[in-house]
Amino acid sequence: MQNIKEYLTTNKERFINELIEFLKIPSVSADPAFSEDVITASKAVKKSLLDAGCDTVEIYETDGHPIVYGEKIINADLPTILVYGHYDVQPADPIDLWDSPPFEPIIKKTELHPEGAVFARGACDDKGQMYMHVKALEFMVQTNQLPCNVKFMIEGEEEVGSNNLAVFVANNKEKLANDIILISDTGMIANDVPSITTGLRGLSYVEVEVTGPNRDLHSGLYGGAVANPINILTKMIASLHDENNRITIPVFYDKVEELSQKERAEMAKAPFDLEGYQKALHIKTVYGEKGYTTNERNSIRPTLDVNGIWGGYTGEGAKTVIAGKAYAKISMRLVPNQDWHEITELFTAHFEHIAPEGVTVKVTPHHGGQGYVTPIDTIGYKAASKAYETAFGKKPIPQRSGGSIPIVALFEKELKSKTILMGFGLDSDAIHSPNEHFGVWNYLKGIETIPYFYEYFTAMST
Ligand code: BES
Ligand code: MN
Ligand code: MN
């Protein structure tokens, strides 16, 4: 029987070219201008799953973008793996900061990817990582080595909050029944430091609007005499952190899970190059909540960040004006036990409370989700760990991530199953940013690691 390494040697050129074709489809879920492309991408996913060997694949319409669902059931007595991924991508803006067009993929070498990386929007998040699973399935089916049942659920709305997927999951619990959920939509520490993501942060995303006078005013005639919404908004935002960079919203930290010294010491063992981190970002020093390391700040601690702020005159030259309104978009990353609905309410109440007289504020929640932590004493984690050990020749380090995939907590609630997060991207792969890329080595390593997981998980479960 052929092993995966041989199969990769024979097919890697084709695997790379197929990914490149898939990346050419601009499946931006947030922008209605791309809705036809999103549909095209869903059809490409369907075709790829059928070609790889799924018995049935359906495209399910939703109130938003479609969900692609496929399966190959070989024996009801064997375990079932549910693979989740997303074929939608973030908007490519700002386009002029890309070195090559975002939907014309090219392969270029980088310091961290000496064997080349594919540059395109979605290369790493998540088309490239999702497609590794399609190619791993192809290998297992074509060489008669699929050891268990597999279901694929690939959605087109992850980057906009997965609202319709939540409905689909709640309505299709039986169809989606599984023993473990497998996702590659996160990262690892480095190519020679494999890691498995054991936690995701929750999220509450809100938009705020501060209204002062009923119209824009001359800043000479009215300046100093009325509340300036932009002045007020920035002052309010500044007050949301104290001098130790802790969030000042009352009750915000009450449910935050505090890790023991032992757990923190365990975390601190993961290699981290602070100087390299600062150098790569061209910053003199890191910044954040007092008393915590960088790795803790971006994984086990909650945060509040302004993602965008606007109002008034931002065009060429100068215009003397006091704007009637000012706006900001704010995200809060949450940790286990913090409930995103509750945090959204706490934020809203606090923001209304700190608004001075003379302005009115409106808080509009956008989307959110709960955080997730996966235990490491399960069959799923052990099988994943062994799979990495086989493929990388090294035991992977469990590591919590700072990012969010809100649907994961919902999977656990609705489908009662745990998720294994086998991510193969690097933090420096520029997901959501200009020049997003995914290492060719990482792509092929992922395809190699996945079948080992199927094998070990099935062996350990039966
Ligand atoms: N794949 C990312 C999340 C991610 C990336 C987790 C790297 C861990 C490591 C996902 O596509 C994403 O971008 N999620 C959003 C939230 C979503 C509701 C828009 C995020 O984390 O900002
Ligand atoms: Mn993603
Ligand atoms: Mn994303």
Side-chain angles (χ1 to χ4, degrees):
M1 220 187 293
Q2 218 184 1
N3 74 30
I4 178 68
K5 283 210 160 140
E6 287 164 20
Y7 196 83
L8 277 172
T9 312
T10 322
N11 293 287
K12 73 177 209 197
E13 207 86 340
R14 175 172 61 85
F15 284 3
I16 294 164
N17 289 333
E18 285 180 17
L19 175 59
I20 285 177
E21 287 310 306
F22 185 38
L23 289 169
K24 287 181 184 169
I25 310 166
S27 47
V28 178
S29 51
D31 185 346
F34 294 93
S35 51
E36 275 306 310
D37 301 296
V38 173
I39 290 171
T40 306
S42 72
K43 290 179 183 159
V45 173
K46 176 177 176 178
K47 182 175 184 308
S48 73
L49 284 171
L50 284 170
D51 290 349
C54 275
D55 293 331
T56 55
V57 185
E58 296 298 333
I59 294 182
Y60 287 87
E61 297 305 325
T62 71
D63 286 346
H65 302 307
I67 296 160
V68 187
Y69 176 82
E71 59 182 34
K72 185 165 183 71
I73 307 296
I74 56 171
N75 179 342
D77 294 333
L78 286 169
T80 300
I81 296 175
L82 173 67
V83 176
Y84 162 82
H86 61 95
Y87 65 82
D88 65 319
V89 302
Q90 286 276 329
D93 319 66
I95 304 254
D96 39 309
L97 293 184
W98 285 75
D99 296 330
S100 58
F103 299 106
E104 294 172 29
I106 58 159
I107 296 182
K108 274 193 309 192
K109 290 186 174 146
T110 74
E111 207 179 308
L112 292 176
H113 297 294
E115 293 174 45
V118 186
F119 281 76
R121 171 58 85 231
C124 180
D125 183 10
D126 179 41
K127 282 172 158 173
Q129 295 216 70
M130 185 275 284
Y131 208 69
M132 298 181 312
H133 287 268
V134 180
K135 293 298 102 179
L137 176 71
E138 175 195 308
F139 160 71
M140 290 184 284
V141 175
Q142 303 310 324
T143 62
N144 284 315
Q145 297 183 81
L146 181 67
C148 60
N149 305 309
V150 56
K151 299 176 175 178
F152 271 77
M153 179 168 64
I154 312 299
E155 71 155 318
E157 295 191 308
E158 196 280 338
E159 299 292 7
V160 290
S162 302
N163 288 340
N164 291 301
L165 186 72
V167 177
F168 182 79
V169 170
N171 290 336
N172 291 280
K173 289 188 200 175
E174 219 158 287
K175 180 201 276 294
L176 300 172
N178 66 81
D179 296 284
I180 193 85
I181 298 170
L182 185 58
I183 304 180
S184 295
D185 193 21
T186 54
M188 59 180 188
I189 297 175
N191 286 5
D192 57 354
V193 190
S195 59
I196 296 177
T197 304
T198 51
L200 295 163
R201 283 195 287 192
L203 179 71
S204 164
Y205 200 108
V206 299
E207 184 165 329
V208 300
E209 178 191 280
V210 173
T211 305
N214 67 346
R215 58 188 170 88
D216 290 5
L217 302 169
H218 189 287
S219 65
L221 297 182
Y222 290 91
V226 295
N228 175 333
I230 302 177
N231 290 2
I232 301 284
L233 173 64
T234 50
K235 201 167 158 181
M236 288 169 72
I237 286 170
S239 79
L240 295 175
H241 289 94
D242 70 12
E243 65 282 6
N244 294 322
N245 288 318
R246 277 176 69 89
I247 296 155
T248 55
I249 300 169
V251 195
F252 185 89
Y253 286 99
D254 281 20
K255 292 187 180 160
V256 167
E257 168 204 58
E258 297 288 344
L259 267 65
S260 66
Q261 282 308 328
K262 193 169 159 248
E263 286 170 295
R264 292 179 66 185
E266 200 53 46
M267 266 189 79
K269 285 187 192 158
F272 178 68
D273 168 17
L274 180 63
E275 234 167 80
Y277 184 87
Q278 291 171 164
K279 225 174 119 191
L281 299 175
H282 294 222
I283 51 175
K284 280 210 186 74
T285 177
V286 292
Y287 182 94
E289 186 183 356
K290 196 175 166 187
Y292 293 92
T293 65
T294 298
N295 268 342
E296 291 173 334
R297 286 171 180 165
N298 67 24
S299 65
I300 60 163
R301 300 301 298 165
T303 59
L304 182 153
D305 278 292
V306 178
N307 292 240
I309 182 162
W310 69 103
Y313 184 70
T314 56
E316 283 294 310
K319 177 187 177 193
T320 48
V321 66
I322 292 173
K325 284 179 188 286
Y327 307 83
K329 291 184 194 277
I330 296 173
S331 70
M332 288 163 278
R333 297 281 169 174
L334 311 175
V335 296
N337 303 338
Q338 282 185 298
D339 175 74
W340 78 273
H341 294 108
E342 186 186 346
I343 293 293
T344 305
E345 277 170 25
L346 291 173
F347 175 91
T348 307
H350 180 67
F351 211 70
E352 284 168 355
H353 175 74
I354 61 174
E357 276 180 35
V359 298
T360 53
V361 307
K362 194 167 104 192
V363 179
T364 311
H366 271 282
H367 56 66
Q370 311 296 57
Y372 183 73
V373 176
T374 187
I376 63 171
D377 56 359
T378 58
I379 291 174
Y381 186 86
K382 285 178 190 158
S385 180
K386 207 172 151 196
Y388 276 75
E389 223 178 318
T390 308
F392 288 77
K394 258 187 198 177
K395 215 181 158 98
I397 299 171
Q399 198 195 37
R400 290 212 213 169
S401 170
S404 309
I405 310 177
I407 202 71
V408 173
L410 196 117
F411 286 157
E412 177 148 322
K413 187 168 158 248
E414 299 284 357
L415 305 175
K416 313 276 180 256
S417 37
K418 299 273 176 225
T419 291
I420 298 297
L421 297 158
M422 300 203 338
F424 296 91
L426 301 181
D427 280 355
S428 51
D429 285 346
I431 64 171
H432 294 208
S433 302
N435 302 315
E436 174 177 355
H437 54 281
F438 188 34
V440 170
W441 185 89
N442 301 66
Y443 175 57
L444 299 173
K445 208 51 162 178
I447 301 171
E448 182 187 336
T449 310
I450 292 163
Y452 295 135
F453 175 79
Y454 279 60
E455 184 187 331
Y456 300 142
F457 182 73
T458 307
M460 290 177 185
S461 316
T462 46

